[in-house]
Amino acid sequence: MKNNLSYRLIRPISNEKWQPITIPLVSILISFIAAAIVILLIGKNPLQAFYNLLQGAGIMPKPSYAGYKSMLTDFLSLLNAMTPLVFASLAVAVAFRAGLFNIGVSGQMLVSGFLATIIVGYSGLDAFIAKPLVLVIGIVAGGLMGGLVGWLKYKFNINEVVSTIMLNYIAQYVISFFIQMYYVDPISRQSKYISDEARLTLVNVDIANLKMDIPLGFLLAIIIAILIKFFLDKTVVGFEIKAVGSNRNAAKYAGINVGRNTVLAMTISGGLAGLAGVTYYLGYFASIQPKVLSSIGFDSIAVSLLGNSHPIGIIFSSFLVSIIDQGSTYMSSQAGIRQEISSVIIGLILLFSACGAYMKYKVSRLKEKEVERKEIES
């Protein structure tokens, strides 16, 4: 009787075809229930808090807006913040597919953003040359860093987690030195602001008496997510990368060049991280803060897990996490809940997303027991 009841409860996620969608949705639902309990424990209304999150992110209207602002401008700001997160999460997902863990996305972002800043951001080049060049530099710089990690893994069997963490520190402090010595703004104590021609976000564009921030990289992020899906699912190289990630020994036995595909996967991952870097440091922001690694490089791990490392799933999971992040300030001011609660929600999403494999296992076991029960009854 107990097993029968358990099977009924898990039936909505028992279809293996739909599990890549249903299990993340269940994870999100459980995460928000847990977050609601936390909010209740501090004496606040969780429904009001979640509604304020949506208002702050431009999904729901606010009671009033400042001059030249509206729900649309808030939503465009959400897309602007979401763009580098999509690229960073795709970087993590590609490495995951090859059985690798690219925890160095933040460092790759920083190196790409810094090089694009000093080469193009301060150059005075025309926008039609500067903006594409920024993207190219991001891909090349990030790809070289990622490729180095893949080569160290293949050539010397150096664990990619160790090498990426070390490279994060190297990038953080070396670039901080150069910014503070040569490129620091004496007022902001950050790197000098880049030119508008090199920036990948059009800032304060006056349309219909509204001042909007238009993220030029957003459509590129969507297109690249689709291309990555096609590459991984429909090409020979994509199949080889997934084969290496599934079982390196079996892939080697089948004649697949494990070393080449390891380096290639990390190069692609680094290139995507580089795009995240330029859309962050030369898009969402226009300068670099010394000694600080972007949290996006670490949030992208949660986003990739939540999206089941699927490029299209990552778009939706990036959207959700960006809503929580962007809406936290307004939630704090309206509901009287500290902004750190948004980090708690993201942490809970990561926790329950990481349990996805366990959920699949439990569903499979319950299905087997249900089949056995029916056979006994018949």
Side-chain angles (χ1 to χ4, degrees), residues 6 24 54 60 66 70 85 106 111 140 153 161-162 192 197 226 237 241 263 277 308 345 352 361:
S6 300
L54 296 176
M60 299 298 292
S70 72
L85 184 59
S106 289
V111 169
V140 172
K153 171 77 172 181
V161 174
V162 175
K192 296 174 184 176
E197 286 74 19
I226 295 169
V237 177
I241 287 174
V263 175
N308 205 30
I345 297 173
F352 290 110
Y361 167 75

Side-chain angles (χ1 to χ4, degrees), residues 105-359:
V105 170
S106 289
Q108 293 152 17
M109 287 176 61
L110 182 58
V111 169
S112 301
F114 177 70
L115 290 176
T117 294
I118 62 174
I119 294 172
V120 184
Y122 303 145
S123 67
L125 288 171
D126 185 81
F128 289 102
I129 300 174
K131 293 184 193 301
L133 188 56
V134 163
L135 294 173
V136 171
I137 291 172
I139 294 170
V140 172
L144 288 174
M145 275 194 76
L148 173 62
V149 172
W151 182 77
L152 291 172
K153 171 77 172 181
Y154 159 63
K155 195 71 174 178
F156 304 106
N157 198 29
I158 297 175
N159 188 286
E160 72 279 3
V161 174
V162 175
S163 58
T164 49
I165 289 174
M166 293 302 101
L167 286 171
N168 277 351
Y169 280 114
I170 292 169
Q172 181 179 357
Y173 290 106
V174 169
I175 288 174
S176 174
F177 168 80
F178 279 104
I179 289 175
Q180 292 178 332
M181 288 295 294
Y182 304 108
Y183 304 106
V184 70
D185 185 304
I187 297 174
S188 68
R189 305 307 300 173
Q190 299 184 160
S191 67
K192 296 174 184 176
Y193 288 100
I194 61 169
S195 65
D196 288 339
E197 286 74 19
R199 193 167 180 181
L200 298 177
T201 297
L202 303 179
V203 182
N204 289 329
V205 178
D206 197 341
I207 301 176
N209 203 33
L210 296 172
K211 290 191 175 179
M212 306 179 184
D213 293 344
I214 301 175
L216 300 178
F218 178 73
L219 286 179
L220 179 64
I222 303 303
I223 292 169
I224 287 184
I226 295 169
L227 291 176
I228 290 294
K229 182 182 184 307
F230 177 84
F231 169 74
L232 292 173
D233 294 346
K234 303 295 184 181
T235 66
V236 173
V237 177
F239 172 79
E240 289 183 350
I241 287 174
K242 290 193 289 184
V244 170
S246 298
N247 191 315
R248 302 176 76 85
N249 292 329
K252 186 176 181 180
Y253 182 77
I256 294 173
N257 190 324
V258 173
R260 184 193 66 190
N261 283 286
T262 297
V263 175
L264 178 61
M266 283 304 299
T267 300
I268 295 171
S269 178
L272 291 166
L275 285 173
V278 294
T279 52
Y280 183 75
Y281 292 112
L282 293 92
Y284 186 59
F285 290 109
S287 65
I288 302 172
Q289 185 178 356
K291 294 185 181 179
V292 175
L293 288 174
S294 169
S295 63
I296 285 179
F298 306 105
D299 291 343
S300 61
I301 299 170
V303 172
S304 186
L305 285 171
L306 182 60
N308 205 30
S309 296
H310 189 287
I312 306 304
I314 280 171
I315 294 173
F316 292 100
S317 57
S318 298
F319 186 64
L320 173 64
V321 171
S322 296
I323 287 173
I324 297 169
D325 186 54
Q326 290 296 109
S328 61
T329 302
Y330 190 77
M331 177 189 72
S332 178
S333 64
Q334 295 298 307
I337 297 173
R338 294 181 66 87
Q339 282 185 255
E340 287 78 4
I341 291 296
S342 65
S343 298
V344 171
I345 297 173
I346 293 173
L348 289 168
I349 290 173
L350 173 58
L351 175 64
F352 290 110
S353 297
C355 295
Y358 177 73
M359 289 184 189

Side-chain angles (χ1 to χ4, degrees), residues 83-104:
T83 300
L85 184 59
V86 173
F87 283 124
S89 303
L90 288 171
V92 173
V94 170
F96 274 160
R97 291 293 184 97
L100 302 167
F101 189 17
N102 186 3
I103 203 170

